Amino acid sequence: MTKIRLKVIPLGGLSEIGKNMMVMEYEDDIIVIDAGLMFPEESMLGIDLVIPDISYLLEKKRKIKGIIITHGHEDHIGALPYLLPQLNVPVYSTRLTQGLISVKLKERKALAGAELKVVPPGGQVTLGKFRVEFFPVCHSIPDSVGLIIHTPAGIVVHSGDFKLDHTPVDGKPTDLSRLAQLGAQEVLLLLSDSTYAELPGYTPSEKLVGEALDHIMADAPGRVIVTTFASLISRIQQVIDTAAKHQRRVFVVGRSMSDTTRMALELGYLKDPDKVLGRLDELHGLPRNRIAFVTTGSQGEPTSALVRIANRDHRQLHILRGDTVVLSASAIPGNESLINRTVDSLFKQGAQVLYDKVAPVHVHGHGGQEELKLLLNLVKPKFFMPIHGEYRHLSIHAGLAESVGIPRDSTFVLEDGDVLELNPQSAKVTGKISAGNVYVDGLSVGDIGSVVLRNRRMLSRDGMVVVIIAVNQQTGKLIGRPDIVSRGFVDTRESKDMLEESRDLVVRTLDRSGKRPTEWDFISTKVRDTLNKFYYEQTRRRPMILPFMVKV
Amino acid sequence: MTKIRLKVIPLGGLSEIGKNMMVMEYEDDIIVIDAGLMFPEESMLGIDLVIPDISYLLEKKRKIKGIIITHGHEDHIGALPYLLPQLNVPVYSTRLTQGLISVKLKERKALAGAELKVVPPGGQVTLGKFRVEFFPVCHSIPDSVGLIIHTPAGIVVHSGDFKLDHTPVDGKPTDLSRLAQLGAQEVLLLLSDSTYAELPGYTPSEKLVGEALDHIMADAPGRVIVTTFASLISRIQQVIDTAAKHQRRVFVVGRSMSDTTRMALELGYLKDPDKVLGRLDELHGLPRNRIAFVTTGSQGEPTSALVRIANRDHRQLHILRGDTVVLSASAIPGNESLINRTVDSLFKQGAQVLYDKVAPVHVHGHGGQEELKLLLNLVKPKFFMPIHGEYRHLSIHAGLAESVGIPRDSTFVLEDGDVLELNPQSAKVTGKISAGNVYVDGLSVGDIGSVVLRNRRMLSRDGMVVVIIAVNQQTGKLIGRPDIVSRGFVDTRESKDMLEESRDLVVRTLDRSGKRPTEWDFISTKVRDTLNKFYYEQTRRRPMILPFMVKV
């Protein structure tokens, strides 16, 4: 009997939220699940976005049979424009997801040559030794799927991002009966979404938001401006439906919201049976309580329509007293202060503002603790790996698994790069491959390393001082006084004397050192230390100090 | 009849949380209420802290009769070390608050000459035309008060920071009957805490946390490590009480926690009837389920005891499997990611971690919507000014006031610096004085302006490039090739060719310009523009470019 060995390797999505990517490898076949990006943390100064390190995949490029995408959110598709040109394999997804991937690839000029294949929810595809079945799950974007992956070692279930909304707005609840069938067979491994593992209970249904919107559209004395994620198509549908019910026309504002709405209408994911959607030029003459807007800006993005409106900086739209603004979204971690500032500005403009803290105007797309336990109980996996979460989410999810009877040592709380090897009887971590953050900053991918970031951090704190020392090449003598250029350190006018004094200090340091400019390393260290000490004494600040010698 | 005119001027605490400060002025008398600091927002790079702009007070220095402090939190006392030396007036507070002020002034070497006067809760003090009565309120630090200020124009009530805990742990609920008495008289103006105006319902009692701690101390298989704010003395009391009940000794870890605990024991605000508090050297030999710790670090402060423990960087204490860590605090906005990282590290070390999202281990110290409405209904003010909150909190609080019958035009949602003038019949905003953020960075107060911050911001994003151009003073000719020094821009090794090319580009630019070095402004602008364009094309980044000419 040959040894059956399935490897499951997270390349992203564990310990850090975002840049989701899971690798499954069996003999000469590899499939990749999701290829997401992460938005940079505060400490990643100047970085545009973060994608997974795929050096492992590049080494085994010829084995890769395809990339499977569970749904169309950035943290599942966003790395494709950067990775696809390097890997050059087919991408499998549902139809809406494919549409969103095309848009993304086009934006980044990576669409040419991409092989995008549609698999419907409930459909399947065979990739080498893997047979992958797509099952519908309910999430905050239509056409989301989880995966049932039939492998020679056993069945692996990947939940995708999911919640168990029994009354979803787009009519497609998570397929619990298919999962229950699987539970009756043997499932080797479950990979399940941990994003909201901290939250007790159930995530409320999307219908709840519909009820809140219904009251708002009915009662608001003036216009209603709803902002949400462009991809949250079911939410846009609810705005259209409740607006229609209360005789309001709906106007879409903002480029990405317009693009997505148009695409969703064309593909049939969004419906406007009462023809309430209008063009902005039809606005004229409508009474205010017959008007609703849908717009981007739910994360306080500085260039979004809502933020421009809040700052009276939008060409067509500004707040009128009596307007009601609904932020139908929650904050992606890190965006809180931008969002708060936007809400404050809207209040200052005289709007009534409703947001998730003060009214039930948003539900998120991930299951809470009871839903996670239900999935575990239905699927009854032999082994369990919590995915999609920070370490605390994974740990708490592991605790939930234990509470429903999965032994603690059958659960694997891993970090990105850990290699889990399974056969039908056992599972263990057998190694670790390189898996980390690859930074995208401007045009280049991966050139920003820890040195550049450390420098940016240092510069951001106390600024910098460049010391320019001109030296006669022949004599080794100093020419004139050293020059000092500083930025971000002190107010150069107020601190003129202090800066002048530091120039003199450099002169004295150079004199005293008695070294020739050939010993530049020594001199520059000396100058740096002396100024560091002096500036710290004077200001309690530590600017970056860069001595530079010009030999003439 | 002379015109009765009372001015109420917020110098801090409106529109931005923190640096609370309220000025009341009547003819030749001024009193100041609170003198807080604000921790910097993300965008205030390198700034240590933010205090109010007191230029208005400095102009009217001789009128100021005293500063009244409502309680000992940083956002109410933190600016004193910076302002007191300039204002030099007596400070009135309750006893514990005075203790905390002394510690703070001592730290900053500003204690000498400070006149600190104690007024007990329920006591009063007359300052010029103002008679100020201190009434006890319940908040997350003992000895907190609100103020009843008798002025010739009428009574002004200042809530301080408060909640209406009917079963507080330190035995001092907010004095509702005194407030109800006032409601029977005429109250001219109510200033009331808006911090939690977004939250529906009531803030739960501190007792709730006691129950959670009781379960934890009883059930935890190993040691229990509780982290909270050093000033949250009632919480420390609850740890002592529940630990005593379950035969655990309590060890205090961390300097500020030890200092506060000692002071609170001495002043009688903290009690240890069962003598469970111990010194760390008594730890040896105790079974793990007989041990509890209290420590700082609830905000993920990098140098705090808990963070050192989480990073296995603490001298005396590290996590053992089976430890339970309780974060008995909530995140101060801006600290979320530091706290999350700490929780993740503790989980990785094998601890069970309980925090406010997953267990009822914390209640905050501010009233929710029902409490705010109750206060409004008891005090029945003629005019109302919501204080202590961002603009959205103040706006929502104004809405609550309207819901209990205070006409919208009797409520004043102001911003810092707005001057509200009142007489017994009317109130209106009559002007605006200078009131903004004063930045403290290292030793200096107020020297950091928008230029320095803008530079730090720019440096933090794409780093910087210094171009050093040596020129012969006599001939005006370039000496050698210009030098380029960059930091935080690109990986200088990987981008060596690009940087070299940019040196050549500078040479060509200088040649072509045909200008003499005397026209430095022209040349430097030219070099900056050329490099800006070149670097952006090559990298899509915009480093700060600093051309510098050395004349030899």
Side-chain angles (χ1 to χ4, degrees):
Chain A
M1 197 182 119
T2 52
K3 207 169 152 197
I4 293 176
R5 274 201 333 193
L6 170 71
K7 288 186 193 173
V8 178
I9 314 171
L11 278 184
L14 303 200
S15 292
E16 272 176 329
I17 285 184
K19 69 174 179 70
N20 294 300
M21 177 174 272
M22 183 68 62
V23 173
M24 298 188 62
E25 182 173 359
Y26 183 82
E27 292 174 353
D28 282 337
D29 296 318
I30 285 179
I31 57 173
V32 179
I33 300 163
D34 290 327
L37 65 76
M38 182 171 94
F39 292 102
E41 295 168 11
E42 282 158 46
S43 58
M44 302 171 184
L45 293 169
I47 299 297
D48 298 331
L49 40 97
V50 183
I51 59 175
D53 175 354
I54 56 159
S55 43
Y56 181 80
L57 292 177
L58 290 174
E59 276 167 32
K60 305 204 165 187
K61 206 167 151 179
R62 51 154 209 91
K63 287 190 176 182
I64 306 173
K65 298 297 177 285
I67 301 175
I68 298 157
I69 303 290
T70 58
H71 63 279
H73 279 153
E74 285 282 19
D75 55 340
H76 294 258
I77 69 170
L80 281 175
Y82 305 96
L83 306 186
L84 212 47
Q86 297 178 68
L87 295 176
N88 202 21
V89 293
V91 178
Y92 300 86
S93 70
T94 55
R95 200 158 57 104
L96 178 68
T97 307
Q98 192 211 32
L100 291 162
I101 293 171
S102 306
V103 170
K104 187 109 307 227
L105 291 177
K106 211 169 183 177
E107 270 172 25
R108 298 275 164 182
K109 299 185 176 42
L111 185 58
E115 207 182 330
L116 305 182
K117 309 203 166 190
V118 169
V119 179
Q124 51 178 275
V125 56
T126 298
L127 298 169
K129 297 273 190 339
F130 297 101
R131 183 161 58 84
V132 184
E133 190 184 327
F134 285 36
F135 68 95
V137 296
C138 188
H139 183 46
S140 44
I141 186 170
D143 247 14
S144 294
V145 296
L147 306 171
I148 298 161
I149 304 157
H150 302 265
T151 83
I155 297 173
V156 178
V157 175
H158 185 299
S159 73
D161 280 355
F162 81 104
K163 64 174 173 177
L164 300 179
D165 192 338
H166 300 293
T167 54
V169 168
D170 60 3
K172 279 178 197 152
T174 300
D175 189 351
L176 294 177
S177 42
R178 180 70 188 103
L179 291 169
Q181 280 169 30
L182 286 172
Q185 304 167 36
E186 172 110 316
V187 170
L188 180 65
L189 174 69
L190 171 66
L191 311 169
S192 174
D193 179 15
S194 314
T195 313
Y196 274 77
E198 286 169 321
L199 286 201
Y202 283 90
T203 298
S205 169
E206 182 73 24
K207 279 270 160 80
L208 186 80
V209 178
E211 289 162 22
L213 285 175
D214 189 56
H215 290 302
I216 295 165
M217 295 283 184
D219 300 342
R223 309 178 306 175
V224 175
I225 302 169
V226 182
T227 179
T228 190
F229 301 104
S231 62
L232 190 36
I233 291 167
S234 58
R235 195 65 49 82
I236 303 169
Q237 186 66 62
Q238 301 214 82
V239 174
I240 293 175
D241 295 347
T242 52
K245 184 171 163 198
H246 299 288
Q247 291 87 47
R248 288 179 188 260
R249 304 269 336 246
V250 176
F251 302 92
V252 178
V253 181
R255 195 183 53 82
S256 70
M257 187 60 86
S258 304
D259 290 354
T260 316
T261 309
R262 193 177 314 117
M263 203 243 303
L265 281 166
E266 276 167 21
L267 295 181
Y269 290 92
L270 198 59
K271 294 179 182 68
D272 178 21
D274 301 306
K275 306 273 174 250
V276 295
L277 282 169
R279 289 189 325 271
L280 273 180
D281 55 11
E282 298 173 276
L283 201 56
H284 189 72
L286 273 181
R288 290 190 192 165
N289 61 359
R290 293 286 167 262
I291 298 173
F293 296 99
V294 186
T295 165
T296 49
S298 68
Q299 298 303 304
E301 306 93 324
T303 58
S304 66
L306 186 72
V307 173
R308 284 183 195 280
I309 294 168
N311 299 333
R312 302 196 79 78
D313 187 28
H314 195 273
R315 269 190 314 132
Q316 296 149 302
L317 203 56
H318 57 271
I319 294 294
L320 305 172
R321 196 154 284 278
D323 283 353
T324 302
V325 179
V326 181
L327 270 78
S328 189
S330 51
I332 294 173
N335 295 344
E336 294 86 354
S337 64
L338 285 174
I339 297 170
N340 287 339
R341 219 171 297 155
T342 307
V343 172
D344 289 336
S345 304
L346 290 165
F347 268 119
K348 276 185 205 171
Q349 301 289 326
Q352 175 67 12
V353 192
L354 299 170
Y355 48 106
D356 60 350
K357 265 193 188 168
V358 299
V361 293
H362 179 64
V363 293
H364 56 80
H366 301 270
Q369 294 185 345
E370 295 307 313
E371 288 153 280
L372 300 180
K373 285 190 269 182
L374 181 52
L375 184 70
L376 283 156
N377 264 337
L378 280 175
V379 176
K380 296 190 183 65
K382 193 174 174 70
F383 300 108
F384 171 53
M385 186 199 297
I387 59 170
H388 301 174
E390 310 275 353
Y391 201 88
R392 61 189 181 283
H393 302 123
L394 309 179
S395 303
I396 291 170
H397 202 173
L400 297 176
E402 200 177 2
S403 77
V404 301
I406 295 179
R408 191 65 198 223
D409 56 8
S410 298
T411 292
F412 294 87
V413 177
L414 303 189
E415 294 182 69
D416 290 334
D418 284 335
V419 179
L420 181 69
E421 280 198 29
L422 303 107
N423 63 39
Q425 287 76 42
S426 69
K428 67 173 175 189
V429 176
T430 56
K432 183 148 191 126
I433 62 164
S434 118
N437 287 336
V438 170
Y439 299 127
V440 178
D441 181 9
L443 284 186
S444 52
V445 177
D447 86 312
I448 299 270
S450 54
V451 176
V452 174
L453 277 186
R454 198 166 52 237
N455 281 334
R456 287 185 187 171
R457 214 131 49 211
M458 199 165 167
L459 290 166
S460 77
R461 248 177 251 141
D462 288 327
M464 56 98 184
V465 176
V466 183
V467 187
I468 297 157
I469 301 166
V471 166
N472 183 309
Q473 191 132 227
Q474 271 87 47
T475 65
K477 287 247 155 55
L478 193 65
I479 304 175
R481 286 171 80 209
D483 283 300
I484 277 182
V485 184
S486 88
R487 287 293 185 283
F489 168 39
V490 288
D491 183 311
T492 46
R493 251 176 289 179
E494 276 192 38
S495 301
K496 200 162 180 286
D497 293 348
M498 196 262 296
L499 292 173
E500 282 300 313
E501 203 183 325
S502 71
R503 287 175 73 181
D504 295 337
L505 188 62
V506 176
V507 176
R508 287 201 301 278
T509 308
L510 294 173
D511 283 351
R512 252 185 246 136
S513 81
K515 301 275 176 180
R516 292 186 51 91
T518 43
E519 294 168 89
W520 174 242
D521 282 351
F522 178 88
I523 295 174
S524 96
T525 306
K526 190 84 194 159
V527 167
R528 195 179 292 125
D529 291 349
T530 308
L531 287 181
N532 208 342
K533 189 159 168 276
F534 175 76
Y535 290 140
Y536 186 73
E537 280 167 7
Q538 297 285 319
T539 64
R540 288 287 182 280
R541 298 177 198 165
R542 296 196 186 282
M544 179 186 277
I545 297 169
L546 295 172
F548 190 83
M549 181 170 61
V550 185
K551 286 187 233 170
V552 288
Chain B
M1 193 183 119
T2 52
K3 207 171 154 198
I4 292 176
R5 274 203 333 194
L6 171 71
K7 288 188 194 172
V8 178
I9 314 169
L11 278 185
L14 302 200
S15 292
E16 270 177 331
I17 285 184
K19 69 175 178 68
N20 294 300
M21 176 173 273
M22 183 68 62
V23 173
M24 297 187 61
E25 182 172 359
Y26 182 82
E27 292 175 353
D28 283 336
D29 295 317
I30 286 180
I31 58 172
V32 179
I33 300 163
D34 290 327
L37 64 76
M38 181 171 95
F39 292 101
E41 293 169 12
E42 281 158 48
S43 58
M44 302 171 185
L45 293 169
I47 298 297
D48 298 331
L49 39 98
V50 182
I51 59 176
D53 176 353
I54 56 159
S55 42
Y56 180 79
L57 292 177
L58 290 174
E59 276 167 31
K60 306 205 165 188
K61 204 166 151 179
R62 52 154 207 91
K63 288 189 176 184
I64 307 173
K65 297 296 178 285
I67 302 175
I68 298 157
I69 304 289
T70 58
H71 62 279
H73 279 153
E74 285 283 18
D75 54 339
H76 293 257
I77 69 170
L80 281 175
Y82 306 96
L83 306 185
L84 213 45
Q86 297 178 70
L87 295 175
N88 202 22
V89 293
V91 178
Y92 300 85
S93 71
T94 55
R95 200 157 56 102
L96 178 68
T97 306
Q98 191 211 31
L100 290 162
I101 293 172
S102 305
V103 170
K104 187 110 306 227
L105 292 177
K106 210 169 182 177
E107 271 173 23
R108 298 276 166 182
K109 298 184 179 39
L111 186 57
E115 207 183 329
L116 306 183
K117 308 203 167 191
V118 168
V119 180
Q124 50 177 273
V125 57
T126 298
L127 299 169
K129 297 274 190 340
F130 298 100
R131 183 161 58 84
V132 185
E133 189 184 329
F134 285 37
F135 68 95
V137 297
C138 190
H139 183 46
S140 44
I141 184 169
D143 247 14
S144 294
V145 297
L147 306 171
I148 299 160
I149 305 158
H150 303 265
T151 83
I155 297 173
V156 178
V157 175
H158 185 299
S159 73
D161 281 355
F162 82 103
K163 64 174 173 177
L164 300 179
D165 192 338
H166 301 292
T167 54
V169 168
D170 60 3
K172 280 177 196 151
T174 299
D175 188 351
L176 294 177
S177 42
R178 180 71 189 103
L179 292 168
Q181 281 169 31
L182 286 172
Q185 305 166 35
E186 172 112 313
V187 170
L188 180 67
L189 174 69
L190 170 66
L191 311 168
S192 174
D193 178 15
S194 314
T195 314
Y196 274 79
E198 286 169 321
L199 286 201
Y202 283 90
T203 299
S205 170
E206 182 72 25
K207 279 271 160 82
L208 187 80
V209 179
E211 288 161 24
L213 285 175
D214 190 57
H215 290 302
I216 295 165
M217 294 283 185
D219 299 343
R223 309 179 305 176
V224 175
I225 302 169
V226 182
T227 179
T228 190
F229 302 105
S231 61
L232 191 37
I233 292 166
S234 58
R235 195 64 50 82
I236 304 169
Q237 186 66 62
Q238 301 215 79
V239 174
I240 293 174
D241 294 346
T242 52
K245 183 173 163 196
H246 299 288
Q247 291 87 49
R248 288 178 189 260
R249 304 272 333 250
V250 176
F251 302 92
V252 178
V253 182
R255 196 183 52 81
S256 71
M257 187 58 87
S258 303
D259 289 354
T260 316
T261 309
R262 193 178 313 117
M263 204 243 304
L265 281 166
E266 275 166 22
L267 295 181
Y269 290 93
L270 199 58
K271 294 180 182 69
D272 179 23
D274 301 307
K275 307 273 175 250
V276 296
L277 283 169
R279 290 190 322 272
L280 273 179
D281 55 10
E282 298 173 278
L283 201 57
H284 189 72
L286 273 180
R288 290 189 192 165
N289 61 358
R290 292 286 167 264
I291 298 173
F293 297 97
V294 186
T295 165
T296 50
S298 68
Q299 298 304 304
E301 306 92 325
T303 58
S304 66
L306 186 72
V307 174
R308 285 184 194 279
I309 293 167
N311 298 334
R312 302 196 80 77
D313 188 27
H314 195 274
R315 268 189 316 131
Q316 295 149 304
L317 203 58
H318 57 269
I319 295 294
L320 305 172
R321 196 154 282 279
D323 282 352
T324 301
V325 178
V326 182
L327 270 78
S328 189
S330 51
I332 294 173
N335 295 345
E336 294 85 353
S337 63
L338 285 174
I339 298 171
N340 287 340
R341 219 170 299 155
T342 307
V343 172
D344 288 336
S345 304
L346 290 165
F347 268 120
K348 277 186 202 170
Q349 301 289 326
Q352 175 67 12
V353 191
L354 300 170
Y355 48 105
D356 60 351
K357 264 194 188 166
V358 299
V361 293
H362 179 65
V363 293
H364 55 80
H366 301 269
Q369 294 184 345
E370 294 307 312
E371 288 152 279
L372 300 180
K373 285 191 270 183
L374 181 51
L375 184 72
L376 283 155
N377 264 336
L378 282 175
V379 175
K380 296 191 184 61
K382 192 172 175 71
F383 300 109
F384 171 53
M385 186 201 296
I387 59 169
H388 301 173
E390 311 275 353
Y391 201 87
R392 62 190 179 282
H393 302 123
L394 308 179
S395 303
I396 291 169
H397 202 173
L400 296 176
E402 200 175 4
S403 77
V404 301
I406 294 180
R408 191 64 199 223
D409 56 8
S410 298
T411 292
F412 294 88
V413 177
L414 303 189
E415 294 183 69
D416 289 335
D418 285 335
V419 178
L420 182 69
E421 280 199 29
L422 303 107
N423 62 40
Q425 287 76 43
S426 68
K428 69 172 175 191
V429 176
T430 57
K432 183 147 192 129
I433 62 164
S434 118
N437 287 335
V438 170
Y439 298 126
V440 178
D441 181 9
L443 284 185
S444 52
V445 177
D447 84 311
I448 298 271
S450 55
V451 176
V452 174
L453 277 186
R454 197 166 53 235
N455 281 334
R456 286 185 186 171
R457 216 136 42 215
M458 199 169 167
L459 290 167
S460 77
R461 248 178 252 140
D462 288 327
M464 55 100 182
V465 175
V466 183
V467 187
I468 298 158
I469 302 166
V471 165
N472 184 309
Q473 192 132 223
Q474 270 87 46
T475 63
K477 286 250 153 58
L478 193 65
I479 305 177
R481 288 170 79 209
D483 283 300
I484 277 181
V485 184
S486 87
R487 288 291 186 281
F489 169 39
V490 289
D491 183 310
T492 45
R493 249 175 290 178
E494 276 192 37
S495 301
K496 201 162 179 289
D497 293 348
M498 195 263 295
L499 292 173
E500 282 301 312
E501 203 181 325
S502 71
R503 287 175 73 180
D504 295 337
L505 188 62
V506 176
V507 176
R508 286 200 301 277
T509 308
L510 294 173
D511 283 351
R512 251 184 246 139
S513 81
K515 300 276 175 182
R516 290 188 51 93
T518 42
E519 294 168 273
W520 173 242
D521 281 352
F522 178 88
I523 296 175
S524 97
T525 307
K526 189 83 194 161
V527 167
R528 195 181 290 123
D529 290 350
T530 308
L531 286 182
N532 207 344
K533 187 158 169 276
F534 176 75
Y535 290 140
Y536 186 74
E537 280 168 6
Q538 296 286 318
T539 65
R540 290 285 182 282
R541 299 176 198 165
R542 296 196 186 282
M544 179 187 278
I545 296 169
L546 295 171
F548 191 83
M549 183 171 57
V550 184
K551 286 187 233 169
V552 288

